[in-house]
Amino acid sequence: AAVARCRFGLAAAVVLHLAAAAVAANPVRLTKENFDQHVRGKSVFIWFFTPTCVHCRDMADAWRQLTEAFQGDPHVLIAETDCTSYGKSLCDDHGFIAFPTLMYGDPYDLKEYNSVREFGSLKSFVTATLGPECTPANMHLCDEDFKEAIRRLKAWPKSSLKQVIASMEEAQNKAQKEHKEMMDGLTKLHSEGSKDMKEGRITEEERRSKFLEYQAMFDRSKAKLQKVLDENEERGLDLMKKVLAHRKRERDEL
């Protein structure tokens, strides 16, 4: 019983601590239902938390200060979501399993923040990283070439856009895997070759010849990977993914 009360006491203290910080900052609390309304036209920084998470408690004051610092900013939204109550369905959609999780950027193409969680660092990150950005939701910030590219991608059937992206990513992942295997093989060859030469199983010339042969294979895999990356960049893979992310709430075509 004593243990249960201690746990309850800690949980209650965390909830009160988080609640006090939230009230002081008047935060935007995101749910699945109000997400589109709040993020429209903004770059975002979102704190996904649970009330009983100790690390969430540790950064609650920093997040309150960050919320106050950017309250009313026309281009940046600092928001939060309690993944155990009002924001559970939103968190479930993202598949979060560890907390706190901080996500930033285009609200429909979020990236994870994995750096220092104290106020000064968070504020510097927001100032340097977030702000007005050309996206499918902010086309008024794009030049005419980007506007036309976005319009063209929005006009594609969503199923076709998904297929093209999947094909490009498959080629990129395959090239990255092959290159990594070559890199690992080169490292292993260097280690084993040095050992074999030291123990008299091969000569220095044999070790060098084998190493140069594998180095040539490694260089070819590196060039192949770079070619795929350049082609995907030229074809606009990143923009395709942003447009698809913004269209994710559309009904899938049959």
Side-chain angles (χ1 to χ4, degrees):
V3 173
R5 281 198 298 270
C6 288
R7 288 177 178 170
F8 176 79
L10 175 60
V14 173
V15 171
L16 289 173
H17 183 82
L18 291 172
V23 169
N26 189 26
V28 173
R29 296 185 175 95
L30 295 178
T31 68
K32 188 172 183 177
E33 292 71 29
N34 70 17
F35 187 85
D36 291 335
Q37 170 194 341
H38 283 299
V39 305
R40 187 174 296 116
K42 302 283 187 74
S43 291
V44 303
F45 201 13
I46 307 172
W47 177 37
F48 294 92
F49 70 91
T50 64
T52 55
C53 158
V54 174
H55 296 300
C56 299
R57 178 194 61 189
D58 290 343
M59 67 166 293
D61 285 338
W63 198 259
R64 173 187 55 77
Q65 293 177 68
L66 188 71
T67 300
E68 291 176 344
F70 290 92
Q71 198 118 46
D73 190 292
H75 304 296
V76 175
L77 173 68
I78 308 299
E80 61 188 54
T81 296
D82 182 342
C83 292
T84 64
S85 58
Y86 60 82
K88 187 176 186 305
S89 58
L90 182 61
C91 298
D92 289 346
D93 282 352
H94 285 87
F96 297 137
I97 59 174
F99 301 96
T101 296
L102 304 180
M103 304 295 289
Y104 72 92
D106 182 333
Y108 298 100
D109 187 27
L110 293 169
K111 298 177 175 61
E112 186 170 1
Y113 173 86
N114 286 307
S115 191
V116 180
R117 296 173 183 165
E118 56 91 20
F119 170 65
S121 296
L122 293 170
K123 184 179 180 182
S124 296
F125 174 79
V126 172
T127 301
T129 308
L130 303 184
E133 181 182 6
C134 167
T135 70
N138 293 324
M139 289 184 61
H140 63 286
L141 298 174
C142 306
D143 61 30
E144 287 305 316
D145 288 342
F146 261 91
K147 287 180 181 178
E148 180 56 33
I150 291 171
R151 291 190 194 103
R152 188 169 61 250
L153 292 172
K154 283 185 173 181
W156 279 20
K158 193 162 66 169
S159 57
S160 298
L161 186 56
K162 286 180 178 179
Q163 289 174 0
V164 171
I165 291 172
S167 175
M168 295 170 71
E169 288 186 327
E170 181 181 5
Q172 182 169 308
N173 292 338
K174 181 180 178 181
Q176 287 173 331
K177 180 181 178 183
E178 291 176 355
H179 181 59
K180 185 180 184 305
E181 289 173 350
M182 283 292 165
M183 191 182 319
D184 292 343
L186 195 63
T187 302
K188 182 179 179 182
L189 183 66
H190 177 75
S191 174
E192 291 183 349
S194 297
K195 181 180 178 181
D196 288 344
M197 189 181 68
K198 186 181 294 185
E199 295 177 357
R201 286 190 288 271
I202 60 173
T203 65
E204 166 63 20
E205 185 61 31
E206 288 172 331
R207 186 198 69 83
R208 176 178 167 77
S209 176
K210 194 171 184 179
F211 184 80
L212 290 176
E213 180 183 350
Y214 211 93
Q215 178 70 56
M217 295 168 61
F218 171 82
D219 291 342
R220 285 194 294 271
S221 74
K222 182 178 179 180
K224 180 181 177 180
L225 172 59
Q226 191 59 55
K227 182 172 182 289
V228 172
L229 293 174
D230 290 344
E231 288 175 348
N232 283 353
E233 181 179 357
E234 185 176 344
R235 293 176 64 189
L237 175 60
D238 185 58
L239 184 59
M240 289 183 191
K241 291 166 70 175
K242 285 182 180 295
V243 171
L244 181 61
H246 277 263
R247 295 178 61 186
K248 69 179 181 179
R249 284 175 171 76
E250 295 178 8
R251 183 178 66 85
D252 288 336
E253 291 88 359
L254 299 177

